[in-house]
């Protein structure tokens, strides 16, 4: 049986950055300046390739955030932020490597109220780019899916990774992370 009380979300951050941030929350001019700075200072880092092409990334991310924000509200979510902080469910070797094996912040999923968190199978922006849509789910929908799975949480995540690399988590209320900021 799967113990959902043991689940957590993970934020991956490159060692040259401050954790639990979202560049999309900056005014557009500042976002472009910050993206350029990070891309120049870290040219060999996967996490900053999107910033090297920020003219293309920025509008796609704006569109994705707008879509998932709307979907989250339709599902009963109560976002306090227009642009969520991004996490993964449990661990993701893919993201850890992508962010240069940097700073990791773990938050128990049980500590996050349902109305402030949503999930997508895979990267929300990439899914919208590929298909024009994304399936956003609530915490309860995810837990129901996990509990109906015939296997362990590790097996469930391995199945998800086969198609999506990881389960993306969107945290819509910064108050939840205050205890985790140093």
């Amino acid at each position: 049986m799967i113990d959902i009380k043991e689940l957590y979300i993970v934020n991956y951050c490159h060692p040259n950055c401050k954790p639990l941030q979202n560049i999309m929350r900056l005014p557009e001019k500042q976002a472009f300046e910050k993206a350029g700075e990070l891309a120049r200072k870290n040219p060999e880092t996967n996490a900053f390739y999107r910033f090297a092409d920020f003219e293309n990334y920025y509008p796609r991310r704006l569109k994705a955030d707008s879509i998932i924000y709307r979907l989250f509200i339709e599902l009963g979510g109560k976002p306090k932020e227009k642009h969520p902080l991004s996490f993964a469910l449990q661990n993701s070797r893919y993201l850890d490597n992508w962010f240069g094996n940097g700073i990791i912040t773990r938050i128990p999923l049980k500590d996050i109220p349902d109305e402030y968190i949503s999930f997508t199978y895979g990267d929300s922006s990439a899914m919208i780019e590929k298909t024009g849509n994304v399936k956003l789910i609530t915490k309860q929908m995810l837990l129901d899916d996990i509990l109906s799975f015939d296997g362990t949480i590790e097996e469930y995540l391995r199945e998800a990774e086969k198609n999506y690399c990881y389960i993306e988590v969107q945290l819509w209320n910064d108050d939840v992370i205050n205890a985790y900021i140093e």
Side-chain angles (χ1 to χ4, degrees):
M1 175 148 173
I2 296 174
D3 185 1
I4 58 174
K5 291 180 181 136
E6 300 300 317
L7 294 174
Y8 53 90
I9 62 172
V10 181
N11 177 266
Y12 294 93
C13 179
H14 189 271
N16 295 342
C17 289
K18 184 178 174 187
L20 303 168
Q21 302 289 304
N22 183 335
I23 198 166
M24 300 306 291
R25 293 181 178 179
L26 294 173
E28 184 174 347
K29 184 176 187 227
Q30 284 181 296
F32 271 83
E33 289 169 359
K34 186 67 170 176
E37 173 191 331
L38 289 168
R40 280 189 304 280
K41 289 182 177 179
N42 303 281
E44 301 300 318
T45 304
N46 289 343
F48 300 118
Y49 290 163
R50 61 198 164 152
F51 293 165
D53 186 25
F54 205 62
E55 281 196 26
N56 287 312
Y57 175 79
Y58 187 80
R60 290 194 321 258
R61 185 74 256 172
L62 275 178
K63 177 183 176 184
D65 284 359
S66 175
I67 290 169
I68 62 176
Y69 180 86
R70 177 184 50 80
L71 291 172
F72 187 49
I73 290 173
E74 288 174 8
L75 290 171
K78 295 181 178 20
K80 289 196 170 186
E81 311 296 336
K82 290 282 188 188
H83 302 281
L85 295 177
S86 296
F87 292 77
L89 183 65
Q90 297 296 88
N91 293 315
S92 171
R93 284 180 302 233
Y94 172 82
L95 289 176
D96 195 22
N97 289 333
W98 208 69
F99 283 95
N101 300 300
I103 304 161
I104 294 175
T105 305
R106 285 185 177 86
I107 301 174
L109 184 57
K110 65 180 174 47
D111 292 350
I112 304 168
D114 294 14
E115 64 267 20
Y116 299 135
I117 192 167
S118 60
F119 304 83
T120 56
Y121 289 93
D123 180 280
S124 57
S125 187
M127 297 303 285
I128 291 168
E129 186 74 19
K130 286 180 192 173
T131 67
N133 201 358
V134 66
K135 181 180 178 188
L136 190 90
I137 60 174
T138 64
K139 182 177 174 181
Q140 190 58 55
M141 293 165 77
L142 174 73
L143 296 177
D144 290 347
D145 195 29
I146 291 171
L147 289 172
S148 70
F149 181 76
D150 187 25
T152 66
I153 185 64
E154 290 79 15
E155 291 167 333
Y156 176 85
L157 291 170
R158 276 196 297 274
E159 284 297 311
E161 285 175 9
K162 286 180 187 177
N163 295 316
Y164 306 106
C165 292
Y166 57 92
I167 297 173
E168 183 183 277
V169 181
Q170 301 89 27
L171 184 59
W172 298 94
N173 183 346
D174 289 357
D175 294 340
V176 173
I177 64 166
N178 287 338
Y180 302 91
I181 297 175
E182 296 179 5

